[in-house]
Amino acid sequence: MRLCLINPCNPLVSIVKVKESRWNRYRVWKPLSLMVLAGLTPPQWQTSIVDENLGVPDYSAMPRPDLVGITAFTSQANRAYELADHFRRLGVPVVMGGIHATMCLDEVLEHVDSVVTREADGIWREVLEDARQGRLKRRYDGGFTEMTDVVPARHDLLSTGYAFGAIQTTRGCPLNCSFCSVTAFNGAHYRQRPIPDVVREFQLIGERLVLVLDDNLIGTRPDHIARAKDLFRAMARANLRKEWIAQATINFADDEELLTLAAKAGCSGVFIGFESPSPEGLRGYGGKFNLLKGRDIRASVQRIQRHNILVAGSFIIGLDADEPGIGSRIAEAARRYGVDSLNVLFLTPLPGTRLWDQMKSQGRIPLDVFPQDWKYYTLTYPVARYKHLSLDGIIREMISCNETFYSVPGIFRRVCSSFWHRRKPWINLGGNLSYRGNLHRAAEAYASFKRQRGDRPDGVKAS
Ligand code: B12
Ligand code: SF4
């Protein structure tokens, strides 16, 4: 029995075409979901993974699979349906799972034979057995997995073409920010994999650089932090010789022992969502508001950097509090905080989030010709109507933010500082230049987006 697992590409996402430049290897992430499914698949199945981000293969030249499994974030849904239609025309059954299939079940059921909602770890073998016997059900629900049941991913199946390996050590998040799908999808309960399992899986990863995909590696409570420390101690003891990057909240900065242990375990960078430079903006979406309120963010960032750990800061543009000038305010805040790189995304209503419900009920989602419009739900296009910003206005703010932060003097200052403090200056330089290189591509992408969206309603008038 042949199983083909596919991660569809979205041509609007610039990480495609790894072969064009070797630097693109640093921009493409492995689809861990499919590697986990492969790890759960019994050996009588011959399993292959196609990541279309590395290039779209000639499917007709490949051996005909007996089952196709497709994963998709919302932004990949269009392409996922094209692939499903293609294989179903050939009589190959298609199963789809992942975040989009869970949040838009009815839409997905129109395109595939079977849908697996939520986490598939506990149910995938049953799906395969049903497929083998030709009696696939229309819907399976995996619920939330016991973390002791998470098996190691098949890292051997995608062993070339990427600069980073990938691993996940926790699932779930209690903070439930209004724009984020994680609490709705993985639940509010923060679940942790047993430490020995994580260490053993790290040892299976071929790459020296690893992305830890957890939404928040350190959690929110003292016992979560204690577990993170134990994990870092175990990683250091195992002498993994890996450098890794993770996502965490700013609370990462509050515990010197945690930072020391993380650095010893190989942490070289941390991605932190600051979301808004203003208290009004922060208050609007809940979640991390309390973590950032009244904090000296610059001092927190510096405490992390002192451990030779780079800090990437992320912000959202288009919150209801955001008025003209927000672009330069974000760039200025990021400069003041002293982050090594900045990533700004448009506020985007993703299906299944509180923000989606709110914007939908207020008639603020003009890009709603689905599934075609899903391709713009990459957080790099302004798909909604923003309270105080027109379409042109919000695009201008985004451009001005990135041009200010990634100006030549700005990059020079940051890179000099990282040379001076010996904080991974080459990585810092490479990261900053890569963002700067994207500036003109982004301007072209906005122009084409505006042409294609036509005259659908623009921003909400200021009240
Ligand atoms: C790693 C990651 C990325 C990586 C992508 C890696 C990849 N797959 O190629 C990068 C950084 C590139 C990325 C980009 C984006 N991401 Co992202 N990302 C994540 C993150 C943090 C982890 C995903 C992961 O690998 N988890 C580990 C695996 C094991 O879990 P899993 O994917 O859920 O898979 C399980 C189940 O879903 C299911 N399953 C999944 N697929 C399938 C398929 C089949 C057949 C079956 C049966 C089951 C199944 O089984 C798996 C095992 O239980 C999630 C947050 C999260 N916690 O999910 C956000 C998340 C998925 N990303 C999100 C978003 C919005 C994006 C972007 C659009 C915007 C952005 N800049 O962040 C882009 C879009 C990229 C694109 N190609 O279009 C949203 C998606 C919401 C949505 N409705 O689409 C999430 C949920 C975060 C959020 N804040 O809400 N992302
Ligand atoms: S803290 Fe991060 S993962 Fe948790 S809900 Fe907020 S944005 Fe999502």
Side-chain angles (χ1 to χ4, degrees):
M1 298 290 282
R2 279 202 190 89
L3 169 67
C4 179
L5 298 168
I6 308 179
N7 184 33
C9 62
N10 176 348
L12 296 179
V13 176
S14 60
I15 54 178
V16 285
K17 302 197 185 89
V18 168
K19 286 184 191 117
E20 278 179 9
S21 152
R22 68 191 202 93
W23 292 109
N24 285 347
R25 296 171 69 243
Y26 291 88
R27 306 172 73 193
V28 63
W29 296 40
K30 289 187 181 186
L32 187 63
S33 54
L34 300 183
M35 294 154 69
V36 167
L37 291 183
L40 291 160
T41 303
Q44 63 265 37
W45 288 83
Q46 203 182 315
T47 308
S48 58
I49 300 181
V50 174
D51 181 0
E52 291 198 336
N53 287 320
L54 298 186
V56 177
D58 177 2
Y59 288 103
S60 59
M62 291 165 61
R64 185 180 186 279
D66 299 289
L67 179 68
V68 165
I70 304 178
T71 188
F73 299 167
T74 291
S75 55
Q76 297 165 291
N78 270 323
R79 176 66 188 153
Y81 300 151
E82 280 174 19
L83 288 164
D85 294 345
H86 167 80
F87 282 105
R88 291 180 84 202
R89 270 198 302 273
L90 300 176
V92 179
V94 175
V95 183
M96 192 162 146
I99 181 96
H100 189 72
T102 303
M103 299 306 179
C104 297
L105 175 65
D106 294 336
E107 177 191 289
V108 175
L109 276 170
E110 285 176 28
H111 297 270
V112 302
D113 297 282
S114 187
V115 171
V116 179
T117 50
R118 295 193 282 175
E119 300 173 9
D121 313 60
I123 205 151
W124 180 235
R125 290 193 185 101
E126 182 185 325
V127 177
L128 289 174
E129 188 49 28
D130 287 355
R132 206 176 61 79
Q133 300 198 17
R135 52 160 207 225
L136 268 178
K137 297 187 196 67
R138 289 287 278 154
R139 187 194 166 178
Y140 297 83
D141 181 33
F144 300 130
T145 306
E146 278 294 329
M147 295 308 267
T148 43
D149 295 341
V150 176
V151 301
R154 285 284 304 273
H155 296 277
D156 56 310
L157 285 182
L158 287 177
S159 54
T160 53
Y162 304 85
F164 299 96
I167 194 168
Q168 189 184 40
T169 95
T170 61
R171 291 185 189 166
C173 179
L175 295 180
N176 198 13
C177 301
S178 66
F179 55 82
C180 174
S181 327
V182 170
T183 308
F185 183 74
N186 294 110
H189 178 47
Y190 185 69
R191 289 165 291 144
Q192 302 138 332
R193 284 178 73 189
I195 289 171
D197 291 6
V198 176
V199 173
R200 263 195 301 277
E201 184 162 350
F202 252 108
Q203 287 163 333
L204 298 175
I205 297 176
E207 292 82 1
R208 200 179 59 80
L209 303 173
V210 179
L211 299 161
V212 179
L213 303 185
D214 303 27
D215 297 290
N216 178 4
L217 180 59
I218 60 163
T220 50
R221 297 193 321 227
D223 56 314
H224 301 160
I225 305 252
R227 181 264 183 187
K229 287 183 183 173
D230 286 344
L231 173 64
F232 300 155
R233 283 190 194 99
M235 287 167 66
R237 259 197 317 273
N239 195 16
L240 297 171
R241 296 178 194 281
K242 307 275 185 208
E243 282 194 48
W244 48 272
I245 297 172
Q247 302 185 84
T249 59
I250 190 70
N251 284 6
F252 189 45
D254 296 347
D255 188 322
E256 270 303 314
E257 188 187 23
L258 181 72
L259 289 168
T260 307
L261 290 168
K264 273 195 189 144
C267 180
S268 60
V270 64
F271 196 86
I272 296 180
F274 296 105
E275 321 309 3
S276 173
S278 76
E280 300 74 42
L282 286 175
R283 213 172 285 127
Y285 70 82
K288 285 180 261 181
F289 172 55
N290 289 328
L291 307 182
L292 290 156
K293 191 177 59 179
R295 167 188 286 274
D296 182 343
I297 298 180
R298 184 184 177 84
S300 299
V301 168
Q302 281 175 342
R303 276 201 298 278
I304 299 174
Q305 290 170 331
R306 253 181 246 129
H307 292 264
N308 205 13
I309 295 173
L310 294 171
V311 178
S314 167
F315 286 79
I316 294 174
I317 206 163
L319 296 166
D320 281 358
D322 290 350
E323 297 192 354
I326 181 66
S328 44
R329 278 201 293 282
I330 291 176
E332 168 51 24
R335 190 200 59 76
R336 220 175 37 246
Y337 297 169
V339 295
D340 297 290
S341 66
L342 165 68
N343 188 32
V344 187
L345 298 164
F346 290 108
L347 182 72
T348 302
L350 292 166
T353 60
R354 288 188 285 129
L355 180 68
W356 171 274
D357 294 340
Q358 181 204 330
M359 286 194 151
K360 185 102 190 119
S361 68
Q362 295 170 345
R364 292 174 60 186
I365 310 184
L367 264 85
D368 61 354
V369 182
F370 301 129
Q372 296 89 311
D373 281 344
W374 289 133
K375 63 178 175 293
Y376 293 114
Y377 282 60
T378 55
L379 280 53
T380 51
Y381 293 96
V383 297
R385 299 171 75 189
Y386 300 93
K387 195 155 187 185
H388 303 294
L389 297 163
S390 66
L391 175 67
D392 284 333
I394 196 165
I395 290 176
R396 261 197 315 275
E397 296 299 337
M398 179 63 96
I399 292 174
S400 115
C401 177
N402 283 321
E403 283 183 351
T404 310
F405 190 81
Y406 291 108
S407 65
V408 174
I411 294 180
F412 184 73
R413 238 189 346 261
R414 279 190 296 282
V415 173
C416 284
S417 151
S418 65
F419 263 104
W420 180 252
H421 296 288
R422 298 204 193 127
R423 202 179 58 247
K424 304 183 173 57
W426 295 113
I427 299 180
N428 205 327
L429 178 65
N432 274 273
L433 290 180
S434 157
Y435 272 107
R436 187 172 165 81
N438 276 340
L439 294 181
H440 78 272
R441 272 196 293 277
E444 284 165 19
Y446 296 140
S448 141
F449 169 71
K450 275 169 55 182
R451 274 195 306 278
Q452 286 179 33
R453 89 187 275 292
D455 57 1
R456 291 191 250 179
D458 198 345
V460 173
K461 290 275 167 289
S463 49

